[in-house]
Structure formats: C-alpha cells, structure tokens
Amino acid sequence: MSKFGEIIDVEIPVLLDFYTERDNHSIAMHPILRDVAAALGDKAKVIKIDVDKNRELAEALRVKALPTLIIYKNAEMKWRHSGEQDANTIIAIIQEYV
C-alpha cells in the first residue's frame, strides 16, 4: 500500500479507475479513459486498477461498484464516482484540479 501513497501524492491530478475485466461497464470505460488520457496529456495521470488483483486496496477504499473513478491530488481525494461517465465530463472535472 506504500506504493499507492507514492502514486497519489503528486502535484497533478491522478484519476484511478477501479475495474475488472468481468464487468461490462468497466470494459466500456476503457476507450473513454484512453480518450481522457490523450486529451489531458501530462496534465494528469490515468491509472487503471484491477480489483481482482488489488483486493486489499479496493477494500480499503470501500470500492463496492464498478467502475469506480477517484481523483487524487497531493494524496487528497478530490472526487469520486461509481458507474460509467463520458469523456468530456471526466476531462472537465479533472481540469478543475489542474
């Protein structure tokens, strides 16, 4: 979990996507998040976290629904949403923290 602290404790927004390949909604978010990452470039990070491989972290953050999107900046949670979201909305939200 110390590695997680290093990932989220940065000056730029970090969007975490908690997903699983077994969930159709999670799979539907893959191309959307690629578009988000491409649109934001180095202004933000987009990191995908497979809950099947990171159960302890998902439990610690109380991830119950998939996909769950969380934005951190300087190790502080800024925004959280469960369920699908469109690229423009995600980009606009992240830009609030750039």
Side-chain angles (χ1 to χ4, degrees):
M1 196 92 75
S2 63
K3 192 173 191 177
F4 177 72
E6 294 170 18
I7 290 170
I8 63 168
D9 193 10
V10 292
E11 294 287 323
I12 62 172
V14 178
L15 173 65
L16 303 178
D17 168 34
F18 287 87
Y19 76 99
T20 179
E21 291 298 331
R22 297 176 284 111
D23 178 67
N24 290 334
H25 298 288
S26 293
I27 294 167
M29 288 299 297
H30 292 343
I32 292 168
L33 293 173
R34 276 194 297 273
D35 291 347
V36 169
L40 293 169
D42 60 358
K43 294 179 187 173
K45 289 183 185 179
V46 176
I47 299 174
K48 301 179 69 48
I49 299 175
D50 185 338
V51 296
D52 291 331
K53 296 177 183 172
N54 297 280
R55 289 190 188 279
E56 185 178 313
L57 178 59
E59 288 175 16
L61 294 174
R62 296 186 176 111
V63 172
K64 305 277 188 226
L66 297 175
T68 292
L69 305 172
I70 304 175
I71 297 173
Y72 280 90
K73 183 173 180 179
N74 296 321
E76 182 181 336
M77 186 185 301
K78 299 293 188 178
W79 177 84
R80 181 178 177 134
H81 176 82
S82 293
E84 293 180 56
Q85 210 36 285
D86 66 272
N88 290 334
T89 301
I90 296 170
I91 291 167
I93 292 167
I94 292 173
Q95 286 178 331
E96 293 178 27
Y97 303 107
V98 172

